[in-house]
Amino acid sequence: MWWKLCRILSGLVAAALIILVGLKVKQWRYAEGVTADTNSQAEAVFAYPSHEVTPFYTAAPNDGDFGNEADQSVVYSETPEIEPNEERQMYAGAIRTRQYEWRDVYQKLSQYPNAKTSVSKGTSSTSVSNAYGEYFLIQAGGIYYSLNDSSNQLFELTSYPARATDMDRALKKEGEAALGVELDGMSREEAKKRAEEVLDSLFMSERYHAEAIDIYGYTGEDLRKIHKMLYQERDTWRYFYKDIPEEAENGLYYIEFQMCIDGVPVCSDEASLGIHYSIHSNDEILGTEMRMVLAGNRVVMLNSIFEFNLKDIQKVDMLSEEEIRPIVEEELNNTLSISNPEDFEVECMYLYVRHGTGKNANFELRPAWRVYVEGKNDEDYIAFFDAESGKILF
């Protein structure tokens, strides 16, 4: 009995010695750089020459991970690359005008998509019409659409007040009032949604978005009043319509859009006004223009120009507002026509830049900082600085 008990005790002691020796040998192997076939994070520390760094992002620990995550550092086998700051990057590169397929445009925009069409193709454009009075003019990067023969008059009735200058104060007042009008049957928010959906469906790149920024609402009474004002000054406005179209009776929305690339605005005609051409070259800013007239849920008129193919653009690092401001200040301090060089506004936007003229022209997408400041003698100063280099462009 005692003999058997001694044999069992001896066996247990021998087994314990074997386990201890095995663990010691395993530690020596790790210390000598032998790779371990294990999933243990604790053992992995010994497997490779390493250093500790603070992670940019630490995932929630899985079951079996060691300790409290907040108290641990993550071990990498080599120094991690710092991720680029996405907020400091924009796109740049060569672009070319988008080529639309007229059938695709017709199916998305026509209110009579199954109607028989008449198609005429020119060297640089395609015109499409049907028996219901719809007309399409599809050019490189641009689409013009009208619902019927009265569409142009309805466009003039709604857009002229919006475009009126201080010299046309009565008409301008009508346009300013229209910015707050909401029509029966379709709210301003519904008109905005409808208009944006129409344009977004036509864009061939998901990077583009058309944002409705100015929505003018005109009741039938408003339009009759504007019609009378325009006809009385018909020689000035070149408005020779004696009667007002029936479509105007229930009111119209006139909408102007801002084109954006991934949420950053593209320079419009209005933003680049007065400095389209560089003094020293044939380079030109191509300002975008998108306008629409809605009668209820129906598109009466649409004019959209300059969608470009963005396939070959690349990301570039751009100067932040804090970095561009000293550069702008230095430029403005050397400009005698500015009253207060320190009091300027900056806005980041994309430019469509055309290099050269005619058939030899090529196009480029450039991110830029638009600078605005009041000048002397009521003349405003506008300039564009390259967002990558800080050099003045226009």
Side-chain angles (χ1 to χ4, degrees):
M1 181 69 177
W2 287 106
W3 178 79
K4 290 182 178 181
L5 184 60
C6 289
R7 288 187 63 184
I8 292 172
L9 291 173
S10 299
L12 291 174
V13 171
L17 289 172
I18 292 171
I19 292 172
L20 289 173
V21 172
L23 289 174
K24 191 64 177 176
V25 170
K26 196 171 186 179
Q27 289 180 356
W28 290 339
R29 293 184 69 201
Y30 284 134
E32 292 170 355
V34 180
T35 302
D37 182 15
T38 177
N39 292 325
S40 169
Q41 292 186 3
E43 291 180 349
V45 174
F46 299 94
Y48 306 95
S50 61
H51 56 277
E52 294 185 349
V53 296
T54 302
F56 293 104
Y57 169 74
T58 306
N62 297 320
D63 291 341
D65 285 355
F66 50 85
N68 183 352
E69 183 185 20
D71 297 331
Q72 304 294 338
S73 57
V74 177
V75 179
Y76 296 91
S77 60
E78 59 184 35
T79 303
E81 295 183 1
I82 298 177
E83 292 294 329
N85 187 346
E86 292 293 335
E87 295 180 357
R88 296 284 302 278
Q89 290 192 325
M90 291 178 68
Y91 293 101
I95 53 177
R96 58 185 183 277
T97 50
R98 177 70 73 180
Q99 302 298 318
Y100 298 104
E101 214 296 309
W102 75 263
R103 292 180 182 84
D104 182 59
V105 174
Y106 185 84
Q107 286 298 314
K108 290 179 177 179
L109 189 56
S110 174
Q111 294 170 54
Y112 308 96
N114 298 320
K116 185 178 180 180
T117 58
S118 173
V119 181
S120 176
K121 294 187 176 182
T123 55
S124 59
S125 64
T126 300
S127 60
V128 184
S129 60
N130 60 32
Y132 294 95
E134 287 188 312
Y135 174 75
F136 297 75
L137 180 62
I138 303 168
Q139 305 180 65
I143 299 170
Y144 172 82
Y145 165 81
S146 63
L147 177 60
N148 51 38
D149 292 338
S150 65
S151 295
N152 188 65
Q153 183 182 357
L154 296 174
F155 169 71
E156 292 177 2
L157 281 170
T158 54
S159 67
Y160 283 5
R163 307 281 62 174
T165 65
D166 289 334
M167 295 183 65
D168 310 294
R169 293 179 182 177
L171 198 60
K172 182 180 180 182
K173 187 177 180 180
E174 296 298 322
E176 291 173 345
L179 282 170
V181 173
E182 189 159 305
L183 303 178
D184 294 335
M186 176 177 278
S187 68
R188 295 175 64 84
E189 187 59 34
E190 289 171 334
K192 173 182 170 69
K193 182 179 179 181
R194 166 64 174 158
E196 291 180 354
E197 286 177 346
V198 168
L199 277 172
D200 287 347
S201 71
L202 295 171
F203 290 142
M204 300 175 70
S205 171
E206 292 183 354
R207 296 200 179 282
Y208 279 121
H209 170 65
E211 181 181 356
I213 52 174
D214 287 327
I215 303 176
Y216 298 80
Y218 302 92
T219 65
E221 183 180 354
D222 294 332
L223 293 171
R224 285 191 293 272
K225 182 179 179 181
I226 293 169
H227 168 76
K228 183 177 180 180
M229 295 171 66
L230 290 174
Y231 189 71
Q232 287 177 343
E233 301 292 335
R234 53 189 175 275
D235 290 333
T236 301
W237 286 99
R238 312 299 297 170
Y239 181 91
F240 299 104
Y241 304 99
K242 292 183 178 180
D243 302 312
I244 190 169
E246 293 181 0
E247 295 94 331
E249 289 301 317
N250 294 323
L252 299 169
Y253 280 115
Y254 166 73
I255 305 173
E256 296 185 342
F257 301 84
Q258 172 71 66
M259 181 183 282
C260 301
I261 298 176
D262 287 353
V264 179
V266 179
C267 187
S268 63
D269 274 337
E270 190 168 352
S272 64
L273 191 62
I275 57 168
H276 280 202
Y277 295 92
S278 170
I279 297 174
H280 306 291
S281 70
N282 290 324
D283 295 346
E284 177 187 1
I285 299 174
L286 298 179
T288 60
E289 182 180 80
M290 287 178 288
R291 300 180 288 185
M292 181 186 296
V293 179
L294 282 178
N297 199 41
R298 305 179 76 190
V299 178
V300 174
M301 193 284 304
L302 168 66
N303 185 24
S304 171
I305 62 174
F306 292 135
E307 180 188 352
F308 281 92
N309 189 323
L310 304 179
K311 180 181 178 181
D312 297 325
I313 57 176
Q314 302 291 329
K315 282 188 174 181
V316 297
D317 293 328
M318 61 172 286
L319 299 173
S320 66
E321 183 174 343
E322 290 76 15
E323 292 170 322
I324 197 64
R325 278 190 168 275
I327 298 173
V328 173
E329 287 178 5
E330 183 178 357
E331 175 70 25
L332 298 183
N333 283 328
N334 295 324
T335 305
L336 299 177
S337 62
I338 298 175
S339 303
N340 299 307
E342 300 82 12
D343 189 19
F344 62 87
E345 301 173 2
V346 292
E347 180 185 6
C348 191
M349 60 177 54
Y350 281 112
L351 302 185
Y352 293 148
V353 181
R354 187 189 71 188
H355 302 288
T357 58
K359 294 182 179 180
N360 296 324
N362 55 78
F363 306 92
E364 180 185 14
L365 180 71
R366 293 301 308 172
W369 284 100
R370 180 183 183 270
V371 176
Y372 166 81
V373 63
E374 291 184 0
K376 297 178 180 179
N377 302 320
D378 296 327
E379 293 183 1
D380 297 336
Y381 176 92
I382 300 175
F384 289 87
F385 290 76
D386 186 89
E388 183 181 11
S389 67
K391 295 181 180 179
I392 192 167
L393 294 173
F394 294 92

